[in-house]
């Protein structure tokens, strides 16, 4: 008698390096449903709804401008301080939202993971994609202020490297996804890591040149400049400001270094995530 042929056979993964991207593609409709869920449900029962996407970066930029530029007298060159801060915060927020949401993948979805099968990789991927909407709204408000300052004579301009902007967004998403998947795997066993995430993000923001030019840090603390210079987030933020505002520099050597580090973190995140999904349900 011929053996029954099953459409899918659910078995434990034996190969750590088996990414099974074909199966992820087969579940692409589910991926889109998760993206829609993330977009619709987050602010469904809020008063201001998507306006929170605008309020957070605007108020943060105002506070940074008052404290770092007006009180601490950090110079942003010919670029208006508010626009300088808004550019850094906009790209930083995309990384932050991807990282924080992805780092809770297993703990936040333990219920659904324990009841139905689908490629677990779909969940963090949906987070990175859905956060693009939030990033798009914040980018729009940045462009509104960009036009305002440009019309009023500010010394800002796009350049030939502006076409690299989508690549900067992609690198931010990859880095947030990779780091988030590593933390999500560790959180299944070490819950106190959740407490350290928000604190660690605050420290990471300060060493990623979000609210100051890299040149300022090198000038004031040359002994510790390597902490900022070799941070791949610093490269993305500084490059983003350069290609959008004409402020800062584009270091081609650091470009290769940063891309290599980000790809390594993403691959490591996928491998750790795949390993954790085999038995996380016993520890969550």
């Amino acid at each position: 008698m011929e053996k029954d042929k099953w459409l899918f056979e659910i078995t434990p993964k034996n190969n750590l390096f088996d990414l099974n991207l074909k199966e992820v593609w087969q579940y692409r409709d589910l991926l889109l449903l998760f993206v829609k869920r993330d977009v619709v449900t987050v602010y469904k029962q809020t008063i201001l709804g998507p306006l929170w996407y605008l309020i957070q970066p605007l108020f943060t930029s105002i506070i940074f401008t008052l404290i770092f530029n007006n009180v601490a007298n950090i110079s942003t060159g010919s670029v208006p301080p508010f626009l300088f801060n808004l550019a850094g915060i906009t790209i930083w927020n995309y990384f932050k939202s991807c990282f924080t949401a992805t780092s809770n993948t297993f703990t936040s979805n333990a219920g659904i993971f324990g009841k139905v099968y689908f490629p677990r990789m779909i969940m963090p991927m949906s987070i990175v994609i859905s956060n693009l909407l939030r990033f798009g709204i914040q980018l729009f408000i940045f462009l509104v202020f960009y036009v305002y300052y440009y019309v009023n004579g500010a010394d800002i301009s796009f350049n030939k490297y502006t076409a690299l902007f989508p690549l900067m967004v992609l690198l931010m998403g990859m880095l947030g996804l990779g780091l988030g998947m590593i933390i999500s795997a560790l959180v299944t066993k070490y819950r106190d890591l959740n407490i350290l995430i928000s604190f660690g993000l605050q420290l990471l923001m300060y060493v990623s040149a979000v609210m100051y030019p890299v040149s300022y840090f090198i000038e004031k603390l040359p002994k510790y400049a390597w902490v900022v210079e070799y941070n791949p987030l610093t490269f993305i933020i500084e490059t983003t400001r350069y290609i959008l505002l004409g402020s800062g520099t584009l270091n081609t050597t650091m470009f290769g270094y940063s891309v290599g580090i980000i790809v390594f973190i993403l691959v490591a995140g996928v491998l750790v995530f795949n390993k954790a999904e085999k038995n996380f349900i016993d520890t969550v």
Side-chain angles (χ1 to χ4, degrees):
M1 184 176 179
E2 185 180 357
K3 293 179 65 177
D4 294 332
K5 295 184 178 180
W6 301 94
L7 181 59
F8 297 107
E9 183 178 358
I10 303 175
T11 58
K13 291 182 179 179
N14 297 318
N15 186 359
L16 183 64
F17 294 92
D18 185 12
L19 303 183
N20 207 2
L21 295 179
K22 180 180 179 181
E23 188 178 23
V24 173
W25 174 250
Q26 291 173 336
Y27 280 81
R28 59 188 180 276
D29 291 337
L30 181 61
L31 174 62
L32 295 177
L33 285 175
F34 280 133
V35 170
K36 182 179 179 181
R37 180 203 65 173
D38 293 340
V39 171
V40 173
T41 60
V42 172
Y43 295 101
K44 188 174 183 180
Q45 293 182 321
T46 60
I47 298 176
L48 299 178
L51 287 178
W52 286 112
Y53 291 152
L54 305 180
I55 294 173
Q56 191 271 339
L58 288 177
F59 274 84
T60 305
S61 298
I62 292 172
I63 293 173
F64 280 3
T65 302
L66 292 175
I67 295 177
F68 293 99
N69 303 117
N70 293 349
V71 177
N73 290 321
I74 295 178
S75 174
T76 57
S78 60
V79 178
F82 175 79
L83 196 62
F84 179 94
N85 291 319
L86 186 60
I89 290 168
T90 299
I91 191 70
W92 163 261
N93 278 345
Y94 180 58
F95 163 78
K96 180 182 177 182
S97 56
C98 290
F99 172 71
T100 52
T102 304
S103 63
N104 293 316
T105 297
F106 287 124
T107 54
S108 299
N109 300 282
I112 189 173
F113 282 171
K115 295 178 181 178
V116 62
Y117 173 79
F118 58 88
R120 307 312 188 200
M121 189 67 65
I122 283 181
M123 196 64 75
M125 290 175 63
S126 68
I127 292 171
V128 174
I129 296 174
S130 61
N131 277 325
L132 283 173
L133 174 63
R134 175 178 181 174
F135 174 74
I137 295 175
Q138 295 183 355
L139 179 62
F140 172 76
I141 196 66
F142 166 78
L143 292 175
V144 170
F145 281 98
Y146 186 98
V147 172
Y148 168 80
Y149 280 108
Y150 182 81
V151 170
N152 284 273
D155 186 14
I156 54 176
S157 63
F158 295 135
N159 51 57
K160 62 181 180 180
Y161 297 107
T162 304
L164 294 175
F165 180 70
L167 177 60
M168 297 298 105
V169 178
L170 176 62
L171 290 174
M172 269 299 198
M174 291 170 58
L175 185 57
L177 178 62
L179 288 176
M181 288 192 294
I182 293 174
I183 297 298
S184 68
L186 296 176
V187 165
T188 60
K189 292 184 178 181
Y190 310 105
R191 294 298 183 87
D192 52 351
L193 283 177
N194 276 326
I195 302 174
L196 294 176
I197 288 177
S198 58
F199 174 69
L201 276 173
Q202 291 296 324
L203 293 179
L204 186 60
M205 182 176 66
Y206 283 104
V207 297
S208 299
V210 175
M211 69 290 291
Y212 56 83
V214 175
S215 57
Y216 177 83
F217 192 93
I218 296 175
E219 178 186 348
K220 295 295 182 179
L221 295 171
K223 185 177 179 180
Y224 303 100
W226 62 272
V227 177
V228 174
E229 289 184 291
Y230 289 99
N231 178 358
L233 280 169
T234 301
F235 166 79
I236 298 175
I237 293 171
E238 185 78 354
T239 302
T240 299
R241 283 197 290 247
Y242 175 72
I243 63 182
L244 294 180
L245 303 173
S247 171
T249 58
L250 176 60
N251 191 322
T252 54
T253 302
M254 290 303 298
F255 177 83
Y257 162 81
S258 299
V259 170
I261 292 296
I262 292 172
V263 171
F264 173 79
I265 291 175
L266 179 61
V267 173
V270 171
L271 298 181
V272 172
F273 189 89
N274 280 345
K275 183 177 181 180
E277 72 171 274
K278 297 178 183 179
N279 53 14
F280 83 95
I281 202 67
D282 298 325
T283 56
V284 170

